[in-house]
Structures are given as C-alpha cells and as structure tokens.
Amino acid sequence: MSRLIFARWSGVLLVLVVALMGCASPRSDGSDAAAAGSIAAEAQARAEQARVMDLNRQLTLAATSQSSNLSTHDYRLGPGDVIKIEAPQAPEINSLSVRITGPGTVNLPLVGEVRLGGLTTAQAEQSLMQSLSKYIHSPQVAIFINEYASQEVTVTGAVGRPGVYPMQRPRTLFEVLSMAGGLAPNAGSTVSVRTGVPDPQTGQVATHNLIVDLRDLVKDPSAQALALRGGDSVYVPEAGVFFVEGAVAKSGSFPLRPDMTVLKAIAMAGGTDWTSVEKNIRVIRHDGTGSPRELPVDLVAIRDLGQEDMRLQDGDVVVVDTNYAKKGAVVMWNQALRVLSLGILYQ
C-alpha cells in the first residue's frame, strides 16, 4: 500500500516539475527580443548623449581660444548704431556722437551727409578722412561705437536658447553657438549657416548657404575664418537629417528615413531644375575624422539605366551642380523678356 501511495505522489511531483519548467522556459511572444531592443536603444541614447556632451565641450574650448582674435574693426555699421568721432584737426566734429539713420547715413558739420551704413569702422574712418581731406591736409579720424543696435545673428533649431543675439563684433560660429546655450541633447553634428560673403574684387556682399560639420571644424586651425556678422543665421537641425543643395526646386534639410537614397532625396527637394547637371551629383559625407569625402553620383544612370542608388547617412549633403551656360542663357532670356515688355508698355 505504501509503495502505491509513493508511486502516486511521485507522479504528481513529476507533473508539477514539468509544469514549472514550462512556465520558466523562454516564451515565443518576442518579449526577449523587445528587451534586447530596449537595451540597444538605451545604449544608443547614451552614446548620442556622450557625443553631444563631448562636442559641446570642444565648442566651448574653441570659442574661448578664438574670442579675442576678431577685431571690432570688422563690425559693419548700420541703422541705430551710435558712433563717436575723434578728429582733432576738425573741431566741428571732434568728440561728436551721432546716430546712424535708417538709410545708413549721418549728417555732419563741415562735410554734410555721409553714408556709413554697411561699412566697417575702419572703412568708415577712411571715408570720413577722404571727405575731410577737401578742407584739411592729411586729416586723422578715429571712430568708436557707443551703442550697437543694428547687427544681430539668429540661431534656431536644436540649441539651448534659440533666439536673436546682438553682435558687437564679428564672432566665430563656436562663439555664436555658445551664446545660444550650446547644442541641445538631440542636436546633430551638421549645421546650416546663412552668411554674407564679400566679393574680394567688388566688395559686394552675396548671401551663401554653408553646410558645416562641427566635428571637422573644431579640428581645423583656420576655423576662426568662419566669422559671422550681423544678418547671418545659424540653424542646428536635430540628429537624423540630410541636406540637398544646388540646382533643385527647394534646397534645405530633410528628415533621414532608413531607406533614404540620393534619388529619393532629390525628389523630396522638389526635383532638379532645368539648369542642373544630373550626371554630376556629389554626396559630401562627414565622418568626424578630418576632411569630408566627396562621393560622385550619376543620377541619369540610376534613374534610366538601373544603376544601384546610394543610401544616405546622417548629415550627408547632396549637391546638384549647375550648368552655368544654361543659367546664363536663362538670365539673358529673362532680361530680353523684360526689355520686350517695357517696349510694349511704352508704345
């Protein structure tokens, strides 16, 4: 009898052990995969945070080392600025403080109205000396800025404090980003800068869009050459974007999807325009190790011949070159139409 009872309880225990082992066995509902994915996401988030923290540290160091290298003599005067003029040989204007008007002029005794807006302080001194030279032999002029009112730079996107900041002197990109509170935790490494670049021959200022990889820039000893002035703007996109520039309908930054290719990127930018060179497209890729790489792309071969398209990475810049002969023909045609329309108007 006891043997029978022992056998029965042994069977019950065996069933319980098997059931418990079944409960402890791995499930096939994907919970382990989800846990692994969560761990990977956390690791990636920590890596991104470390990347931004390290980049902010490098930007701060660069801003500190370069802040004293740019002179207020490069500041461009504008409406609202108050300047003080020192001209010992001309008592009429010596130690005179005057505010620059909306059109960028000042009205001074002896010399009358003089346009100073858009000039640096050094250029303004030369202009006043030239005006005074009609009345005084070898005049000496010094200009000091009492109030900065006209020059501002705009910073938007993934920074600590987006906004508009006064520019009392030219500042490097690093300084401007520091003024805006540095990079936000979700910031990418590539920024877009809209700046005015003076033509060395004519002096005329033309607006250019620059795509800058901060990882490369902090390693460049000539980075202070990228000095921002009033009217410039900086946009810091979040991580996970690419840029399209050149002969497209709508240049700018776009969100990077996992399947993004050059052909899809150009489509998102509205397609190429009539002046584009579709066989000469470049992808500029920054990897933070030095100079960016230029990867050539033949859009015609991809679209018409089935060549494999290039997949884009975070921060890539797609550049569509312009056929300047076509562009010149368009300009001439538009000018001809304008002349023709004026002729019809005055008939």
Side-chain angles (χ1 to χ4, degrees):
M1 184 68 177
S2 60
R3 290 181 179 177
L4 179 61
I5 294 173
F6 177 77
R8 288 178 177 176
W9 277 108
S10 298
V12 172
L13 289 173
L14 180 61
V15 171
L16 288 175
V17 169
V18 172
L20 289 173
M21 290 177 64
C23 291
S25 63
R27 297 180 180 179
S28 59
D29 59 0
S31 58
D32 286 349
S38 177
I39 293 173
E42 290 179 5
Q44 183 177 0
R46 286 194 296 269
E48 281 296 301
Q49 184 179 18
R51 175 187 64 82
V52 174
M53 289 178 62
D54 182 62
L55 194 50
N56 269 328
R57 179 185 60 80
Q58 294 183 66
L59 291 176
T60 302
L61 291 174
T64 303
S65 64
Q66 296 177 359
S67 61
S68 61
N69 293 334
L70 297 175
S71 169
T72 54
H73 266 56
D74 293 325
Y75 176 87
R76 292 189 180 275
L77 301 172
D81 289 342
V82 176
I83 61 173
K84 182 179 180 181
I85 303 170
E86 296 291 346
Q89 298 153 293
E92 297 87 348
I93 62 173
N94 188 43
S95 299
L96 178 67
S97 293
V98 60
R99 187 180 298 275
I100 298 177
T101 66
T105 61
V106 292
N107 201 333
L108 302 174
L110 189 63
V111 296
E113 188 176 60
V114 181
R115 181 175 298 278
L116 300 181
L119 303 181
T120 65
T121 51
Q123 291 171 337
E125 290 169 352
Q126 290 295 325
S127 178
L128 286 183
M129 282 190 285
Q130 185 176 0
S131 298
L132 287 171
S133 64
K134 301 174 184 178
Y135 314 99
I136 301 171
H137 178 68
S138 300
Q140 299 299 313
V141 176
I143 291 179
F144 303 92
I145 305 173
N146 287 347
E147 293 182 23
Y148 297 86
S150 66
Q151 304 297 302
E152 298 173 327
V153 63
T154 303
V155 185
T156 58
V159 292
R161 296 185 300 272
V164 180
Y165 294 89
M167 298 282 283
Q168 298 182 357
R169 58 172 175 78
R171 294 182 180 272
T172 66
L173 175 60
F174 304 143
E175 289 182 277
V176 170
L177 290 174
S178 294
M179 291 165 60
L183 302 177
N186 60 338
S189 301
T190 307
V191 303
S192 175
V193 179
R194 187 175 178 85
T195 182
V197 179
D199 187 299
Q201 295 182 342
T202 65
Q204 296 294 321
V205 178
T207 301
H208 291 266
N209 289 323
L210 306 177
I211 308 299
V212 180
D213 189 282
L214 297 175
R215 297 168 300 179
D216 293 338
L217 196 63
V218 294
K219 301 174 183 177
D220 187 352
S222 64
Q224 69 182 41
L226 182 54
L228 304 184
R229 295 172 172 81
D232 291 349
S233 62
V234 179
Y235 170 60
V236 182
E238 297 181 4
V241 299
F242 66 91
F243 301 83
V244 183
E245 296 291 330
V248 292
K250 184 180 67 174
S251 62
S253 61
F254 302 89
L256 180 69
R257 299 196 304 262
D259 62 342
M260 186 58 61
T261 63
V262 173
L263 188 61
K264 293 178 181 178
I266 292 175
M268 288 187 68
T272 59
D273 66 23
W274 185 72
T275 65
S276 65
V277 184
E278 294 189 340
K279 292 181 69 66
N280 190 18
I281 292 175
R282 294 166 290 141
V283 173
I284 301 176
R285 179 162 294 169
H286 301 266
D287 54 15
T289 60
S291 301
R293 292 184 294 155
E294 287 197 8
L295 309 174
V297 177
D298 186 341
L299 188 62
V300 175
I302 293 173
R303 186 184 55 212
D304 301 337
L305 303 178
Q307 180 176 307
E308 184 179 358
D309 202 352
M310 181 184 296
R311 192 177 295 272
L312 297 182
Q313 298 180 9
D314 185 19
D316 279 353
V317 183
V318 180
V319 181
V320 182
D321 282 347
T322 299
N323 185 321
Y324 287 98
K326 289 183 179 179
K327 188 173 183 179
V330 171
V331 172
M332 293 177 62
W333 175 253
N334 289 337
Q335 290 176 343
L337 288 178
R338 196 172 297 115
V339 171
L340 180 61
S341 63
L342 288 173
I344 295 175
L345 179 64
Y346 287 103
Q347 280 183 353

